[in-house]
Amino acid sequence: MTLFDPARHEPLADEAWSEARAREAIARIVDDSEDAFREDSLWPMHPLDVEGEPEPPLASLYLGASGVLYALDALERAGAARLERNWAPLATALCERYLEQPDFPDDTGGRRLPSFWMGEAGILLVAHQLAPAAWQEERLLACVDENASNPTRELMWGSPGTIVAAATMYERTGRDEYAAAWRKSADWLIAEWREDLWRQELYGMSRYFLGPAHGFAGNVHALTRGELLASPQRQEVERRAVAVAAKFAERDADAGLAQWPATRDASAEPFPPVQWCHGAPGVVASLARIAPDDSEHTDLLVAGGELTWQAGPLVKGASLCHGTSGNGYAFLKLFERTADELWLDRARAFAAHAAQQVERHRSRYGRGRYTLWTGDLGSALFLQSCIDATAAIPTLD
């Protein structure tokens, strides 16, 4: 049984894990990112991130400057970098810049989006992380409320993302208003879970995605992150999620492998991708925290991890969303769940390979890739996670 396309993967580099080399790779990524900043244009878009005509500099979390600032700040807090500049003023300025020049304008000249990864909520969350202010809290609360019944029903644009933002702000501030906003969005999202999967009204189509970027796994991750979803509702969400993961798993029992299709319509793609955004790595990483005492669920997640390991690093590159670093977080999550150091060793092997991919791509394009979820800084955070042997996924945990 073929559960992945070997052509999308490459052999693992024959390089032993070295913490010293990992720290050197992080330092190079940080230095390059700081050097690439320009006051008038922020960070340049990478050719691989530009579709059609080049877009103006972006501010949002997934592809834009806020994601860069999030990563730089996180690496400095972890002791992995000593930044040359105080980035707090830029984090604050990006909030107003976004309102004046939204990242994804429509045909009418532009529109503000309240979303977490692709809109205002994520920008505000990073600004509050670097330079907290009361006005940010109020505007972010409004974003969560505005996005509560977003029909995309997924993490990047919809309420699952702003649920994560609300939970983060509740943890930072302890304000009951954030818990109430979280509950409003969560209740709506759970009520919309009418079938095995949520329906995504996305990009002009109705789809049923399984992975975390746009569907089921990301929604479950958002609902079960932290302690705001109380029993018995949490138990019911976890029970349903375990059943859905088992139902849609494609298994090779003899080889001990499991894979998940990108969408409910499995015939749409002969070989499901093996990426964080779609496929086994993202499902494993998103569902590893739930049902911790369920041995069958653990076995299924382990089978997904084995599939990710056997497939190997991604030819696409090192990124979090659809690259080697994102896949590596599945191993860190399995290490956290099982305490089996095999998974930490595998994560570190992927991290060493990802560091080589970053250098290879920089040489090929003559520049770095300055984004959090598709670029070099996401890989730097993965390297740091492997150093620390922790499994927190950037912006989501």
Side-chain angles (χ1 to χ4, degrees):
M1 181 182 295
T2 302
L3 298 179
F4 65 92
D5 182 2
R8 296 176 179 173
H9 301 269
E10 62 188 33
L12 187 66
D14 185 18
E15 178 182 335
W17 164 258
S18 164
E19 181 176 326
R21 284 197 295 272
R23 292 189 183 279
E24 291 169 0
I26 293 170
R28 285 195 297 272
I29 291 169
V30 169
D31 289 346
D32 179 48
S33 298
E34 288 204 289
D35 290 344
F37 174 77
R38 299 293 180 268
E39 292 286 351
D40 58 340
S41 57
L42 305 179
W43 281 272
M45 294 288 288
H46 195 276
L48 295 176
D49 290 319
V50 176
E51 296 182 5
E53 294 298 320
E55 299 183 27
L58 303 182
S60 51
L61 195 55
Y62 179 81
L63 277 176
S66 287
V68 175
L69 299 186
Y70 168 92
L72 291 174
D73 181 69
L75 290 166
E76 185 173 51
R77 289 171 187 259
R82 181 175 295 177
L83 302 182
E84 295 297 323
R85 175 174 177 153
N86 174 19
W87 292 104
L90 176 61
T92 301
L94 286 175
C95 300
E96 297 307 320
R97 181 189 180 109
Y98 174 79
L99 295 181
E100 296 171 1
Q101 185 180 342
D103 285 1
F104 301 98
D106 58 20
D107 293 337
T108 64
R111 58 191 172 93
R112 164 194 163 277
L113 297 171
S115 69
F116 177 43
W117 271 2
M118 311 302 279
E120 187 180 8
I123 300 167
L124 288 164
L125 199 67
V126 173
H128 189 270
Q129 177 176 310
L130 272 67
W135 62 267
Q136 299 159 355
E137 296 180 15
E138 298 309 316
R139 278 174 49 180
L140 208 156
L141 193 60
C143 286
V144 176
D145 186 66
E146 182 181 346
N147 213 39
S149 55
N150 188 313
T152 59
R153 303 177 184 88
E154 49 82 74
L155 183 67
M156 294 187 74
W157 305 90
S159 61
T162 39
I163 282 174
V164 171
T168 301
M169 289 301 293
Y170 178 70
E171 292 160 4
R172 288 183 189 176
T173 68
R175 290 182 57 183
D176 291 338
E177 294 93 331
Y178 279 107
W182 186 95
R183 170 57 59 191
K184 177 182 176 181
S185 291
D187 285 348
W188 180 85
L189 187 62
I190 292 170
E192 290 290 298
W193 195 6
R194 296 167 184 160
E195 305 177 60
D196 292 325
L197 305 173
W198 281 270
R199 184 179 79 257
Q200 280 74 50
E201 301 293 342
L202 187 65
Y203 306 137
M205 298 178 289
S206 289
R207 306 289 292 275
Y208 292 83
F209 286 103
L210 277 95
H214 290 307
F216 157 74
N219 294 1
V220 173
H221 183 99
L223 288 169
T224 57
R225 179 200 179 282
E227 304 299 326
L228 284 170
L229 186 65
S231 297
Q233 194 173 34
R234 184 187 188 94
Q235 293 176 353
E236 176 61 12
V237 166
E238 293 194 7
R239 183 197 66 77
R240 289 183 67 183
V242 166
V244 170
K247 175 179 178 178
F248 286 96
E250 300 174 353
R251 308 190 200 206
D252 183 339
D254 293 337
L257 307 179
Q259 168 68 306
W260 285 265
T263 70
R264 189 176 67 179
D265 181 12
S267 64
E269 188 169 14
F271 296 108
V274 185
Q275 303 172 176
W276 177 87
C277 50
H278 301 293
V283 173
V284 171
S286 301
L287 304 185
R289 73 151 63 90
I290 68 171
D293 300 323
D294 187 327
S295 60
E296 291 185 5
H297 183 56
T298 298
D299 290 344
L300 181 60
L301 296 176
V302 166
E306 288 290 348
L307 182 283
T308 304
W309 175 251
Q310 289 199 20
L314 281 150
V315 171
K316 282 185 178 181
S319 75
L320 290 178
C321 189
H322 35 260
T324 302
S325 298
N327 285 16
Y329 270 107
F331 303 147
L332 290 176
K333 290 290 187 179
L334 287 171
F335 172 60
E336 184 178 67
R337 184 179 179 98
T338 67
D340 185 345
E341 294 208 1
L342 168 71
W343 297 111
L344 178 59
D345 291 341
R346 288 179 169 182
R348 287 172 168 171
F350 267 41
H353 189 97
Q356 288 191 13
Q357 287 181 305
V358 169
E359 293 298 326
R360 196 191 317 158
H361 277 229
R362 184 181 292 124
S363 176
R364 180 184 305 168
Y365 290 96
R367 46 152 298 169
R369 194 171 181 179
Y370 310 111
T371 63
L372 173 57
W373 274 91
T374 68
D376 302 346
L377 282 159
S379 295
L381 289 169
F382 175 55
L383 285 161
Q384 186 62 40
S385 292
C386 287
I387 292 170
D388 297 336
T390 57
I393 297 176
T395 71
L396 297 181
D397 289 323

Coordinates of all heavy atoms in Angstrom, one line a residue, residues 299-371:
D299 N -1.5 4.4 19.6 CA -1.0 3.5 18.6 C -1.2 4.2 17.2 O -0.4 4.1 16.3 CB -1.7 2.2 18.7 CG -1.2 1.4 19.9 OD1 -0.2 1.7 20.5 OD2 -1.9 0.4 20.2
L300 N -2.4 4.8 17.0 CA -2.7 5.4 15.7 C -1.7 6.6 15.5 O -1.2 6.7 14.4 CB -4.1 5.8 15.7 CG -4.6 6.5 14.4 CD1 -4.5 5.5 13.2 CD2 -6.1 7.0 14.5
L301 N -1.5 7.4 16.5 CA -0.6 8.5 16.3 C 0.8 8.1 16.1 O 1.5 8.6 15.2 CB -0.7 9.4 17.6 CG -2.0 10.1 17.9 CD1 -1.9 10.8 19.3 CD2 -2.4 11.0 16.9
V302 N 1.2 7.0 16.7 CA 2.6 6.5 16.5 C 2.7 6.0 15.1 O 3.7 6.2 14.4 CB 2.9 5.3 17.5 CG1 4.1 4.5 17.1 CG2 3.1 5.9 18.9
A303 N 1.6 5.3 14.5 CA 1.7 4.9 13.2 C 1.8 6.1 12.2 O 2.4 6.0 11.2 CB 0.4 4.1 12.8
G304 N 1.1 7.2 12.5 CA 1.3 8.4 11.7 C 2.7 9.0 11.8 O 3.2 9.5 10.8
G305 N 3.3 8.9 13.0 CA 4.7 9.3 13.1 C 5.6 8.4 12.3 O 6.6 8.9 11.7
E306 N 5.4 7.1 12.3 CA 6.2 6.2 11.5 C 6.1 6.5 10.0 O 7.1 6.5 9.3 CB 5.8 4.8 11.8 CG 6.2 4.2 13.1 CD 7.7 4.0 13.3 OE1 8.4 4.0 12.3 OE2 8.1 3.8 14.4
L307 N 4.9 6.8 9.6 CA 4.7 7.2 8.2 C 5.5 8.5 7.9 O 6.2 8.5 6.8 CB 3.2 7.4 7.9 CG 2.7 7.8 6.5 CD1 2.9 9.2 6.1 CD2 3.2 6.9 5.4
T308 N 5.5 9.4 8.8 CA 6.2 10.7 8.6 C 7.7 10.4 8.5 O 8.5 11.0 7.7 CB 5.9 11.7 9.7 OG1 4.5 11.9 9.7 CG2 6.6 13.0 9.5
W309 N 8.2 9.5 9.3 CA 9.6 9.2 9.4 C 10.0 8.5 8.1 O 11.1 8.8 7.5 CB 9.9 8.4 10.6 CG 11.4 7.9 10.7 CD1 11.8 6.6 10.5 CD2 12.5 8.7 10.9 NE1 13.2 6.5 10.6 CE2 13.6 7.8 10.9 CE3 12.8 10.0 11.2 CZ2 14.9 8.2 11.1 CZ3 14.1 10.4 11.4 CH2 15.1 9.5 11.3
Q310 N 9.2 7.5 7.7 CA 9.6 6.7 6.5 C 9.5 7.6 5.2 O 10.3 7.4 4.3 CB 8.7 5.5 6.4 CG 9.0 4.4 7.4 CD 8.4 3.1 7.0 OE1 8.1 2.8 5.9 NE2 8.2 2.2 8.0
A311 N 8.6 8.5 5.2 CA 8.5 9.4 4.0 C 9.8 10.2 3.9 O 10.3 10.5 2.8 CB 7.3 10.3 4.1
G312 N 10.3 10.7 5.0 CA 11.5 11.5 5.0 C 11.3 13.0 4.8 O 10.2 13.5 4.7
P313 N 12.4 13.8 4.8 CA 12.2 15.2 4.7 C 11.6 15.6 3.3 O 11.6 14.9 2.4 CB 13.7 15.7 4.7 CG 14.4 14.6 5.4 CD 13.8 13.4 5.0
L314 N 11.0 16.8 3.3 CA 10.2 17.2 2.1 C 11.1 18.0 1.2 O 11.9 18.8 1.6 CB 9.1 18.2 2.6 CG 7.8 17.4 3.1 CD1 7.1 18.2 4.1 CD2 6.9 17.0 2.0
V315 N 11.0 17.7 -0.1 CA 11.7 18.4 -1.1 C 11.4 19.9 -1.1 O 12.3 20.7 -1.4 CB 11.4 17.8 -2.5 CG1 12.0 18.6 -3.6 CG2 11.9 16.3 -2.6
K316 N 10.2 20.2 -0.8 CA 9.7 21.6 -0.8 C 10.7 22.5 0.1 O 10.8 23.7 -0.2 CB 8.3 21.7 -0.2 CG 7.2 21.4 -1.2 CD 5.9 21.6 -0.6 CE 4.7 21.3 -1.5 NZ 3.4 21.6 -0.9
G317 N 11.2 22.0 1.1 CA 12.1 22.8 2.0 C 11.9 22.6 3.4 O 11.3 21.6 3.9
A318 N 12.3 23.6 4.2 CA 12.4 23.4 5.6 C 11.3 23.9 6.5 O 11.2 23.8 7.7 CB 13.7 24.1 6.1
S319 N 10.2 24.5 5.8 CA 9.3 25.3 6.6 C 8.4 24.6 7.5 O 8.3 23.3 7.6 CB 8.4 26.1 5.6 OG 7.4 25.2 5.0
L320 N 7.7 25.3 8.3 CA 6.7 24.8 9.3 C 5.5 24.2 8.6 O 5.0 23.1 8.9 CB 6.3 25.8 10.3 CG 7.3 26.3 11.4 CD1 6.7 27.3 12.3 CD2 7.8 25.1 12.2
C321 N 4.9 25.0 7.7 CA 3.6 24.7 7.2 C 3.6 23.5 6.3 O 2.8 22.6 6.4 CB 3.0 25.9 6.4 SG 1.2 25.6 6.0
H322 N 4.6 23.5 5.4 CA 4.7 22.4 4.4 C 6.1 22.0 4.2 O 6.5 21.9 3.0 CB 3.9 22.7 3.1 CG 4.1 24.2 2.8 ND1 3.1 25.1 3.0 CD2 5.1 24.9 2.2 CE1 3.4 26.3 2.6 NE2 4.7 26.2 2.1
G323 N 6.9 21.8 5.2 CA 8.3 21.5 5.1 C 8.7 20.5 6.2 O 8.0 20.1 7.1
T324 N 10.0 20.3 6.2 CA 10.7 19.4 7.1 C 10.5 19.8 8.6 O 10.3 18.9 9.5 CB 12.2 19.2 6.8 OG1 12.3 18.8 5.4 CG2 12.9 18.3 7.6
S325 N 10.6 21.0 8.9 CA 10.5 21.5 10.3 C 9.1 21.2 10.9 O 8.9 20.7 12.0 CB 10.8 23.0 10.4 OG 12.1 23.2 10.0
G326 N 8.0 21.5 10.1 CA 6.7 21.2 10.6 C 6.5 19.8 10.8 O 5.8 19.4 11.8
N327 N 7.0 18.9 9.9 CA 6.9 17.5 10.1 C 7.6 17.0 11.4 O 7.1 16.1 12.1 CB 7.4 16.7 8.9 CG 6.5 16.8 7.7 OD1 5.6 17.6 7.6 ND2 6.8 15.9 6.7
G328 N 8.7 17.7 11.7 CA 9.4 17.3 12.9 C 8.7 17.5 14.2 O 8.9 16.9 15.2
Y329 N 7.7 18.5 14.2 CA 7.0 18.7 15.4 C 6.1 17.5 15.7 O 5.7 17.3 16.9 CB 6.1 20.0 15.3 CG 6.9 21.2 15.8 CD1 7.4 22.1 14.9 CD2 7.1 21.4 17.1 CE1 8.1 23.3 15.3 CE2 7.8 22.5 17.6 CZ 8.3 23.4 16.7 OH 9.0 24.5 17.1
A330 N 5.7 16.7 14.7 CA 5.0 15.5 15.0 C 5.8 14.6 15.9 O 5.3 13.9 16.9 CB 4.6 14.7 13.7
F331 N 7.1 14.5 15.7 CA 8.0 13.7 16.5 C 8.1 14.2 17.9 O 8.1 13.5 18.9 CB 9.4 13.6 15.9 CG 9.4 13.0 14.4 CD1 10.3 13.5 13.5 CD2 8.5 12.1 14.0 CE1 10.3 13.0 12.2 CE2 8.5 11.6 12.7 CZ 9.4 12.1 11.8
L332 N 8.2 15.6 18.0 CA 8.3 16.1 19.4 C 7.0 15.9 20.1 O 7.1 15.7 21.4 CB 8.6 17.6 19.2 CG 10.0 18.0 18.7 CD1 10.1 19.5 18.6 CD2 11.1 17.5 19.7
K333 N 5.9 16.0 19.5 CA 4.6 15.7 20.2 C 4.5 14.3 20.6 O 4.0 14.0 21.7 CB 3.4 16.0 19.3 CG 3.2 17.5 19.0 CD 2.8 18.3 20.2 CE 2.4 19.7 19.9 NZ 1.9 20.5 21.1
L334 N 5.0 13.3 19.8 CA 5.0 11.9 20.2 C 6.0 11.7 21.4 O 5.7 10.9 22.3 CB 5.4 11.0 19.0 CG 4.3 10.9 18.0 CD1 4.8 10.2 16.7 CD2 3.0 10.2 18.6
F335 N 7.1 12.4 21.4 CA 8.1 12.3 22.5 C 7.4 12.8 23.8 O 7.5 12.2 24.8 CB 9.3 13.1 22.2 CG 10.3 13.2 23.4 CD1 10.8 12.1 24.0 CD2 10.5 14.5 23.9 CE1 11.7 12.3 25.1 CE2 11.4 14.6 25.0 CZ 11.9 13.5 25.6
E336 N 6.7 13.9 23.7 CA 5.9 14.4 24.8 C 4.9 13.4 25.3 O 4.7 13.3 26.5 CB 5.3 15.8 24.4 CG 4.6 16.5 25.6 CD 4.0 17.8 25.1 OE1 3.1 17.8 24.3 OE2 4.6 18.9 25.5
R337 N 4.2 12.8 24.4 CA 3.1 11.9 24.8 C 3.6 10.5 25.3 O 3.0 10.0 26.3 CB 2.2 11.6 23.6 CG 1.0 10.8 23.9 CD 0.1 10.6 22.7 NE -1.1 9.7 23.0 CZ -2.3 10.1 23.3 NH1 -2.5 11.4 23.3 NH2 -3.3 9.3 23.6
T338 N 4.7 10.0 24.7 CA 5.1 8.6 25.0 C 6.3 8.6 25.9 O 6.6 7.5 26.5 CB 5.4 7.8 23.7 OG1 6.5 8.4 23.1 CG2 4.2 7.9 22.8
A339 N 7.1 9.7 26.0 CA 8.4 9.7 26.7 C 9.4 8.8 26.0 O 10.4 8.4 26.7 CB 8.2 9.4 28.2
D340 N 9.2 8.3 24.8 CA 10.1 7.5 24.1 C 11.1 8.4 23.4 O 10.8 9.1 22.4 CB 9.3 6.6 23.1 CG 10.3 5.6 22.4 OD1 11.5 5.8 22.4 OD2 9.7 4.7 21.7
E341 N 12.4 8.3 23.7 CA 13.4 9.2 23.2 C 13.7 8.9 21.7 O 14.4 9.7 21.1 CB 14.7 9.1 24.0 CG 14.5 9.6 25.4 CD 15.8 10.2 26.0 OE1 16.8 10.1 25.3 OE2 15.7 10.6 27.2
L342 N 13.2 7.8 21.2 CA 13.3 7.6 19.7 C 12.7 8.8 19.0 O 13.3 9.2 18.0 CB 12.5 6.3 19.3 CG 12.3 6.1 17.8 CD1 13.6 5.8 17.2 CD2 11.3 5.0 17.6
W343 N 11.6 9.3 19.5 CA 11.0 10.4 18.8 C 11.8 11.7 18.9 O 11.8 12.5 17.9 CB 9.5 10.6 19.3 CG 8.7 9.4 19.0 CD1 8.2 8.5 19.9 CD2 8.3 8.9 17.7 NE1 7.5 7.5 19.2 CE2 7.6 7.7 17.9 CE3 8.5 9.4 16.4 CZ2 7.0 7.0 16.8 CZ3 8.0 8.6 15.3 CH2 7.3 7.5 15.6
L344 N 12.4 11.9 20.0 CA 13.3 13.1 20.1 C 14.5 13.0 19.2 O 14.9 14.0 18.5 CB 13.8 13.3 21.5 CG 14.7 14.4 21.8 CD1 14.1 15.8 21.5 CD2 15.1 14.4 23.3
D345 N 15.0 11.8 19.1 CA 16.2 11.6 18.1 C 15.7 11.8 16.7 O 16.5 12.4 15.9 CB 16.7 10.2 18.3 CG 17.4 9.9 19.6 OD1 17.7 10.9 20.3 OD2 17.5 8.7 20.0
R346 N 14.5 11.4 16.4 CA 14.0 11.6 15.0 C 13.8 13.1 14.7 O 14.0 13.6 13.6 CB 12.8 10.7 14.8 CG 13.1 9.3 14.7 CD 11.9 8.4 14.4 NE 12.2 7.0 14.1 CZ 11.3 6.1 13.8 NH1 10.0 6.3 13.8 NH2 11.7 4.9 13.5
A347 N 13.2 13.8 15.7 CA 13.0 15.2 15.5 C 14.3 15.9 15.3 O 14.4 16.8 14.4 CB 12.3 15.8 16.8
R348 N 15.3 15.6 16.0 CA 16.6 16.2 15.9 C 17.3 15.9 14.6 O 18.0 16.7 14.0 CB 17.5 15.8 17.1 CG 17.1 16.5 18.4 CD 17.8 16.1 19.6 NE 17.6 16.9 20.7 CZ 17.9 16.7 22.0 NH1 18.5 15.5 22.3 NH2 17.6 17.6 22.9
A349 N 17.1 14.7 14.1 CA 17.6 14.3 12.7 C 16.9 15.2 11.7 O 17.6 15.7 10.7 CB 17.3 12.8 12.5
F350 N 15.6 15.4 11.8 CA 14.9 16.3 10.8 C 15.4 17.7 11.0 O 15.5 18.5 10.0 CB 13.4 16.2 11.0 CG 12.7 15.2 10.2 CD1 13.3 13.9 9.9 CD2 11.5 15.5 9.6 CE1 12.6 13.0 9.1 CE2 10.8 14.6 8.7 CZ 11.4 13.3 8.5
A351 N 15.7 18.1 12.2 CA 16.1 19.5 12.4 C 17.5 19.7 11.8 O 17.7 20.8 11.2 CB 16.2 19.8 13.9
A352 N 18.4 18.8 11.9 CA 19.7 18.9 11.2 C 19.5 19.0 9.7 O 20.2 19.8 9.1 CB 20.6 17.7 11.6
H353 N 18.6 18.2 9.2 CA 18.3 18.3 7.7 C 17.7 19.6 7.4 O 18.1 20.2 6.3 CB 17.4 17.1 7.3 CG 17.3 17.0 5.9 ND1 18.0 16.1 5.1 CD2 16.5 17.6 5.0 CE1 17.7 16.2 3.9 NE2 16.7 17.1 3.7
A354 N 16.8 20.1 8.2 CA 16.1 21.4 7.9 C 17.1 22.5 7.8 O 17.0 23.4 7.0 CB 15.0 21.7 8.9
A355 N 18.1 22.5 8.8 CA 19.1 23.5 8.8 C 19.9 23.5 7.5 O 20.3 24.6 6.9 CB 20.1 23.3 10.0
Q356 N 20.2 22.3 6.9 CA 20.9 22.2 5.7 C 20.0 22.8 4.5 O 20.5 23.4 3.6 CB 21.3 20.8 5.4 CG 22.4 20.3 6.2 CD 22.9 18.9 5.7 OE1 22.6 18.5 4.6 NE2 23.7 18.2 6.5
Q357 N 18.7 22.5 4.6 CA 17.8 23.0 3.6 C 17.7 24.5 3.6 O 17.7 25.1 2.5 CB 16.4 22.4 3.8 CG 16.3 20.9 3.4 CD 14.9 20.4 3.6 OE1 14.3 20.5 4.7 NE2 14.3 19.8 2.6
V358 N 17.7 25.1 4.7 CA 17.7 26.6 4.8 C 19.0 27.1 4.1 O 18.9 28.1 3.3 CB 17.7 27.1 6.3 CG1 18.0 28.6 6.3 CG2 16.3 26.8 6.9
E359 N 20.1 26.6 4.3 CA 21.3 27.1 3.7 C 21.3 26.8 2.2 O 21.7 27.6 1.4 CB 22.6 26.4 4.3 CG 22.8 26.7 5.8 CD 23.1 28.2 5.9 OE1 23.8 28.8 5.0 OE2 22.7 28.8 6.9
R360 N 20.8 25.6 1.8 CA 20.7 25.3 0.4 C 19.8 26.3 -0.4 O 20.1 26.7 -1.5 CB 20.2 23.9 0.2 CG 20.4 23.2 -1.1 CD 19.6 21.9 -1.2 NE 19.7 21.1 -0.1 CZ 18.8 20.2 0.2 NH1 17.8 20.0 -0.5 NH2 19.0 19.4 1.3
H361 N 18.7 26.6 0.2 CA 17.7 27.5 -0.4 C 18.3 28.9 -0.4 O 18.1 29.7 -1.4 CB 16.4 27.5 0.3 CG 15.5 26.4 -0.2 ND1 14.2 26.5 -0.5 CD2 15.8 25.0 -0.3 CE1 13.7 25.4 -0.9 NE2 14.6 24.4 -0.8
R362 N 19.0 29.3 0.6 CA 19.6 30.7 0.6 C 20.6 30.8 -0.5 O 20.7 31.8 -1.2 CB 20.2 31.0 2.0 CG 20.8 32.4 2.1 CD 21.4 32.7 3.4 NE 20.5 32.7 4.5 CZ 20.5 32.0 5.6 NH1 21.5 31.1 5.7 NH2 19.6 32.1 6.5
S363 N 21.4 29.7 -0.7 CA 22.4 29.7 -1.8 C 21.7 29.8 -3.2 O 22.1 30.5 -4.1 CB 23.3 28.5 -1.7 OG 24.2 28.4 -2.8
R364 N 20.6 29.0 -3.3 CA 19.9 28.9 -4.6 C 19.3 30.3 -5.0 O 19.3 30.7 -6.1 CB 18.8 27.9 -4.5 CG 18.0 27.7 -5.8 CD 16.9 26.6 -5.7 NE 17.4 25.4 -5.2 CZ 16.7 24.4 -4.7 NH1 15.4 24.5 -4.7 NH2 17.2 23.3 -4.3
Y365 N 18.6 31.0 -4.0 CA 17.9 32.2 -4.3 C 18.7 33.5 -4.0 O 18.2 34.6 -4.3 CB 16.6 32.2 -3.5 CG 15.6 31.2 -4.0 CD1 15.5 30.0 -3.4 CD2 14.8 31.5 -5.1 CE1 14.6 29.0 -3.9 CE2 13.9 30.6 -5.6 CZ 13.8 29.3 -5.0 OH 12.9 28.4 -5.4
G366 N 19.9 33.3 -3.4 CA 20.7 34.5 -3.0 C 20.1 35.3 -1.9 O 20.5 36.5 -1.8
R367 N 19.2 34.7 -1.1 CA 18.6 35.5 0.0 C 17.8 34.5 0.9 O 17.6 33.4 0.5 CB 17.6 36.5 -0.6 CG 16.7 35.9 -1.7 CD 15.4 36.6 -1.8 NE 14.6 36.5 -0.6 CZ 13.5 37.2 -0.3 NH1 13.0 38.0 -1.2 NH2 12.8 37.0 0.8
G368 N 17.5 35.0 2.1 CA 16.6 34.2 3.0 C 15.2 34.3 2.7 O 14.7 35.1 1.8
R369 N 14.4 33.6 3.5 CA 12.9 33.6 3.3 C 12.3 34.1 4.7 O 12.4 33.3 5.7 CB 12.4 32.2 3.0 CG 11.0 32.1 2.5 CD 10.6 30.7 2.0 NE 9.3 30.6 1.5 CZ 8.8 29.5 0.9 NH1 9.5 28.4 0.9 NH2 7.5 29.5 0.5
Y370 N 11.9 35.3 4.7 CA 11.6 36.0 5.9 C 10.1 35.9 6.3 O 9.4 36.9 6.3 CB 12.1 37.5 5.8 CG 13.5 37.5 5.3 CD1 13.7 38.1 4.0 CD2 14.5 37.1 6.1 CE1 15.0 38.1 3.5 CE2 15.8 37.1 5.6 CZ 16.1 37.6 4.3 OH 17.3 37.7 3.8
T371 N 9.7 34.7 6.6 CA 8.3 34.5 7.1 C 8.4 33.5 8.3 O 9.4 32.8 8.4 CB 7.4 34.0 6.1 OG1 7.8 32.7 5.6 CG2 7.3 34.9 4.9

